[in-house]
Amino acid sequence: RTIEEYQDTLGRILEETMRLNQTVEQLLLLSRISDENYKVAVQVFDCAEVIRAVVKEFQIACEVKSIKLQCEVPEAFSFNGISNLIIEALSNIIDNAIRHTPEKGVIRVKLNEKEADGLIMCLSVADSGPGVSSSFQDLINKPKDLHSDGHGLGLAIVLDIVKLHRGNVRCAQSDLGGAEFILEFPLQ
């Protein structure tokens, strides 16, 4: 065998090891936040600033696919929650949107407030990908029905994070033509 063949094999082993490590980390996180005894300090943080930072982290991945990543957030938005978990939920949804959005597509991350049985913070990620199938919507209703390949694991984590914050997740067709995930959190 040539040196290039060994390097290629080692590269594939490294990629698979990193993928498996990420899956294990996600399973551990899911296990922790699914535990009804899970306690973590809730504190007020600037959710708009956190969202801008997460969007910035995904900018290069979007540039590789020539995807336009839009961030529509107010200057500041105070939220009482667990910032690291909000980062994890948003990262999972943006990562999924990048995978499903074609080259030269659009992903929009938006934060706003609405009135619906009290004030609600709405964090949405919309894309111009293929949209939402009914089977994917079933994953939202049955997030624990995970496949052995990890499909649906990120969504299960998002659902548990939102539930921990007493919120809801909705999925719909976006005005960009693809999927839109809307995370709704009560502000009281």
Side-chain angles (χ1 to χ4, degrees):
R1 294 190 179 202
T2 67
I3 291 174
E4 290 80 21
E5 289 174 320
Y6 283 116
Q7 288 175 331
D8 185 51
T9 301
L10 287 174
R12 284 195 311 269
I13 291 170
L14 180 60
E15 286 176 10
E16 184 64 14
T17 301
M18 290 170 49
R19 188 189 67 75
L20 289 171
N21 186 49
Q22 181 182 14
T23 300
V24 168
E25 286 178 12
Q26 287 186 324
L27 285 168
L28 288 171
L29 176 62
L30 183 60
S31 174
R32 282 194 305 271
I33 61 178
S34 296
D35 182 355
E36 56 190 47
N37 296 319
Y38 181 72
K39 301 285 186 244
V40 68
V42 174
Q43 53 187 306
V44 176
F45 65 95
D46 185 349
C47 198
E49 181 180 315
V50 165
I51 291 167
R52 281 191 294 274
V54 171
V55 167
K56 187 176 182 181
E57 286 183 29
F58 283 96
Q59 199 65 49
I60 292 175
C62 285
E63 288 173 6
V64 168
K65 288 183 70 177
S66 300
I67 294 172
K68 183 177 181 181
L69 181 57
Q70 302 171 339
C71 184
E72 299 176 9
V73 298
E75 185 66 32
F77 196 109
S78 293
F79 179 65
N80 191 25
I82 306 161
S83 62
N84 288 343
L85 294 182
I86 298 298
I87 290 168
E88 183 70 30
L90 181 58
S91 294
N92 273 321
I93 293 174
I94 293 175
D95 182 61
N96 192 55
I98 292 170
R99 278 189 273 120
H100 293 284
T101 299
E103 285 192 19
K104 299 186 179 167
V106 178
I107 297 172
R108 180 184 61 227
V109 179
K110 188 175 181 179
L111 175 67
N112 59 17
E113 179 179 289
K114 74 175 189 177
E115 176 69 37
D117 296 326
L119 286 177
I120 294 175
M121 177 180 82
C122 294
L123 172 56
S124 67
V125 178
D127 65 55
S128 62
V132 181
S133 68
S134 59
S135 63
F136 192 76
Q137 286 194 15
D138 288 344
L139 281 175
I140 293 175
N141 297 327
K142 300 175 188 172
K144 301 302 183 205
D145 292 348
L146 303 175
H147 303 284
S148 59
D149 65 357
H151 181 71
L153 181 57
L155 179 59
I157 290 170
V158 169
L159 290 170
D160 278 354
I161 288 170
V162 173
K163 180 180 170 187
L164 187 67
H165 285 86
R166 301 177 338 266
N168 294 314
V169 176
R170 292 187 297 115
C171 184
Q173 290 298 117
S174 83
D175 60 344
L176 299 173
E180 180 172 21
F181 283 86
I182 303 129
L183 314 183
E184 299 175 325
F185 302 93
L187 289 174
Q188 285 97 3

